[in-house]
Amino acid sequence: QVQLVESGGGLVQAGGSLRLSCAASGRTFGSTAMGWFRQAPGKEREIVAAINWSGADTYYPNSVKGRFTISRDNRKNTVYLQMNSLKPEDTAVYYCAAAVGRTGYTTRSADYNYWGQGTLVTVSS
């Protein structure tokens, strides 16, 4: 069993930055691919970043590439999402997810078997 707890969301002006954290319980974190997703009102959930077990490989969709950075600290069982140059369209609930059983990153939400409760990010114009 893995539990994920996100933190760091909030209200920020356009152009600002936020850093989300996701603390994970369980012994498998260090060998598990992780991802960050978001869901805006009325829209489907979408991936914004993914990272492999070691942190060496990452993925970003074009919508956030160059602005968002995913990283992890396996000693602290924590994955981070640094978000810079935020835009109003980044407003969403952000979810941390774990793909237990996978070491390489994946972009498919169906591959993630544990999810956090979500943290709201609001970007004002």
Side-chain angles (χ1 to χ4, degrees):
Q1 190 76 7
V2 175
Q3 290 187 326
L4 304 172
V5 179
E6 301 102 333
S7 61
L11 174 64
V12 63
Q13 288 189 332
S17 299
L18 280 176
R19 188 194 197 200
L20 305 183
S21 299
C22 173
S25 66
R27 302 178 183 177
T28 62
F29 178 83
S31 59
T32 298
M34 301 292 295
W36 284 97
F37 291 76
R38 69 184 179 189
Q39 187 165 22
K43 295 188 176 181
E44 293 187 354
R45 184 171 56 192
E46 62 175 349
I47 190 166
V48 295
I51 191 166
N52 77 326
W53 70 276
S54 69
D57 293 327
T58 57
Y59 164 84
Y60 307 95
N62 288 336
S63 58
V64 307
K65 193 175 294 183
R67 300 189 299 122
F68 289 12
T69 302
I70 188 171
S71 62
R72 65 190 298 161
D73 187 338
N74 287 346
R75 297 167 301 174
K76 296 182 178 180
N77 275 21
T78 302
V79 63
Y80 305 97
L81 184 68
Q82 177 67 44
M83 304 185 295
N84 299 328
S85 302
L86 283 162
K87 305 174 181 180
E89 52 263 43
D90 294 319
T91 295
V93 177
Y94 284 71
Y95 298 91
C96 170
V100 175
R102 287 184 173 266
T103 55
Y105 75 73
T106 177
T107 62
R108 290 167 18 103
S109 61
D111 291 335
Y112 291 86
N113 35 29
Y114 293 94
W115 294 81
Q117 82 287 353
T119 185
L120 177 63
V121 172
T122 304
V123 184
S124 63
S125 57

